[in-house]
Amino acid sequence: MDAFLTSLFAMALAEFGDRPQILCAALAIRYGRVSPVLWGLGLATLCNCAISAVAGSAVHQWISEDPLQLFYALSLIFAGIGMVAWRRPTDLLDDWSLGPFWTSFLGLFILQFGDKGQFILAATAARTDMALFAAAGGWVGVMIACVPAILLRRRLADAIPIAKVRFVGGAAFLLVGGILALSAWGIV
């Protein structure tokens, strides 16, 4: 259960106000249909979560506990930096003419691949050796962050101070990651 809850909360926080959430809202506005964008998001996220969990599970077998904790700490630190630092604008895929499902699926799969959330999920799976629970929690976390953007579209940005949430979330990741890194080195 640790892997499920850890990845759920970390992924929900990491994806809030991030490019996948923005792209989901933009695609829902562009196509005016919720269902294909939801299915595209769900399948793209499931594929990325599975890839991350399998990679993390493989890493778990190769290295010992302290380096695994350091790997997890670094994934949180880099996620925190990514949340508080400048980021490039999201490509809204205006040139893509694949239809709502395929544009959503492929666009979100590519956008999420190699993103901070994928490293957090891989590190969670590696640290806990519960790849299935980490993948499930990560999938639910991304869905918690992105489904409201699809359903509410622009109203989500108007209702919630996204910049402040990203700053506080980034600071939390930096703090927890820093403490875990110091612990992995035996300093704390």
Side-chain angles (χ1 to χ4, degrees):
M1 199 57 143
D2 174 46
F4 179 82
L5 292 176
T6 301
S7 60
L8 184 150
F9 289 121
M11 293 293 283
L13 183 59
E15 295 300 325
F16 195 83
D18 201 23
R19 293 179 299 156
Q21 191 183 47
I22 294 166
L23 181 59
C24 284
L27 291 173
I29 291 168
R30 174 178 164 188
Y31 291 112
R33 296 172 40 205
V34 170
S35 180
V37 178
L38 281 172
W39 280 104
L41 167 68
L43 187 58
T45 301
L46 182 66
C47 292
N48 274 314
C49 287
I51 291 168
S52 301
V54 168
S57 181
V59 168
H60 177 82
Q61 298 171 10
W62 296 337
I63 56 179
S64 63
E65 190 63 34
D66 285 340
L68 285 174
Q69 184 169 342
L70 184 59
F71 174 47
Y72 184 67
L74 290 174
S75 74
L76 295 179
I77 290 169
F78 289 128
I81 291 169
M83 289 181 76
V84 298
W86 174 87
R87 61 196 163 121
R88 61 190 160 125
T90 304
D91 180 6
L92 301 180
L93 312 178
D94 292 327
D95 298 338
W96 290 31
S97 59
L98 300 172
F101 171 77
W102 287 108
T103 300
S104 300
F105 170 70
L106 292 173
L108 288 163
F109 179 80
I110 293 166
L111 187 62
Q112 291 175 344
F113 194 80
D115 196 26
K116 66 184 169 296
Q118 201 166 32
F119 285 100
I120 291 173
L121 189 57
T124 302
R127 187 178 60 90
T128 60
D129 193 29
M130 295 182 187
L132 183 61
F133 288 107
W139 184 82
V140 171
V142 171
M143 297 304 281
I144 287 171
C146 292
V147 168
I150 294 170
L151 298 176
L152 299 174
R153 298 171 182 114
R154 286 190 176 102
R155 293 184 305 239
L156 181 67
D158 295 337
I160 298 172
I162 292 176
K164 290 179 183 177
V165 171
R166 287 186 56 79
F167 182 79
V168 170
F173 278 141
L174 287 169
L175 178 66
V176 172
I179 291 170
L180 289 174
L182 293 173
S183 176
W185 285 320
I187 296 172
V188 174

